Amino acid sequence: MIFGIAGCASPYAGVSVPVGPVSIGVGASNAGVSLGVGAGAGPVGVGVGVNQKGQVSGSAGVGASTRIGGSNARVGAGIGSSTVLYDPTQSTITPSAPPSQHNTPTMEPMLKQNAENDKQWRDATGRVVPACKVQGQC
C-alpha cells in the first residue's frame, strides 16, 4: 500500500501491484478514484494515470517505503508533482476570424488576446489554479 501527499497538499492513498518492471495501481483522493501505471528506480518514480473524469495525468515524485512485517507489502510516503496531459472537457479549438475580403482591420488580434486571457490552468485533480500561482507571483 502506498500513501502520499501530492502538490497542493492533497491527501492520496492507493494500492499498487508490481507487474514486471512497472506497477499497476488504483488510488483515491479528495478528487475521486484514479487508475495508473508507474515505474521507479530507487526513491524516484514516474507514472501516468487516468481519473474517473477521463483526465490523463503524468507525474513524478520521490519517496521512501518499508516492508510490512515479513510480507512483500510495503507502506511509504512521498512527495511529487503532476500535470494534466489530456482533459476531455477542454476544447482544443481556438476561435479565428473569417477571412477579410476588404482592406479593413480584422478582429483576429482581439480574438487571440481574449483566448490568452481565458486560459485556465488546472492542477492534477482538475481544480482551476490562478495564473499568478502558476507563474509564482501570488
Side-chain angles (χ1 to χ4, degrees), residues 67-93:
R67 287 186 193 267
I68 299 174
S71 70
N72 284 333
R74 301 181 76 82
V75 64
I79 189 164
S81 180
S82 64
T83 187
V84 175
L85 302 172
Y86 171 75
D87 187 348
T89 64
Q90 297 296 311
S91 173
T92 58
I93 299 172

Side-chain angles (χ1 to χ4, degrees), residues 52-138:
Q52 63 194 30
K53 297 176 187 174
Q55 293 174 321
V56 178
S57 297
S59 61
V62 63
S65 64
T66 186
R67 287 186 193 267
I68 299 174
S71 70
N72 284 333
R74 301 181 76 82
V75 64
I79 189 164
S81 180
S82 64
T83 187
V84 175
L85 302 172
Y86 171 75
D87 187 348
T89 64
Q90 297 296 311
S91 173
T92 58
I93 299 172
T94 57
S96 62
S100 178
Q101 295 183 4
H102 302 290
N103 199 9
T104 58
T106 67
M107 293 190 53
E108 188 170 336
M110 189 182 304
L111 290 172
K112 284 183 181 178
Q113 181 183 6
N114 287 341
E116 190 66 26
N117 292 341
D118 292 342
K119 186 182 293 183
Q120 288 187 340
W121 297 95
R122 295 183 180 271
D123 66 9
T125 62
R127 291 179 292 191
V128 175
V129 176
C132 67
K133 194 166 193 174
V134 173
Q135 299 163 355
Q137 298 174 348
C138 29

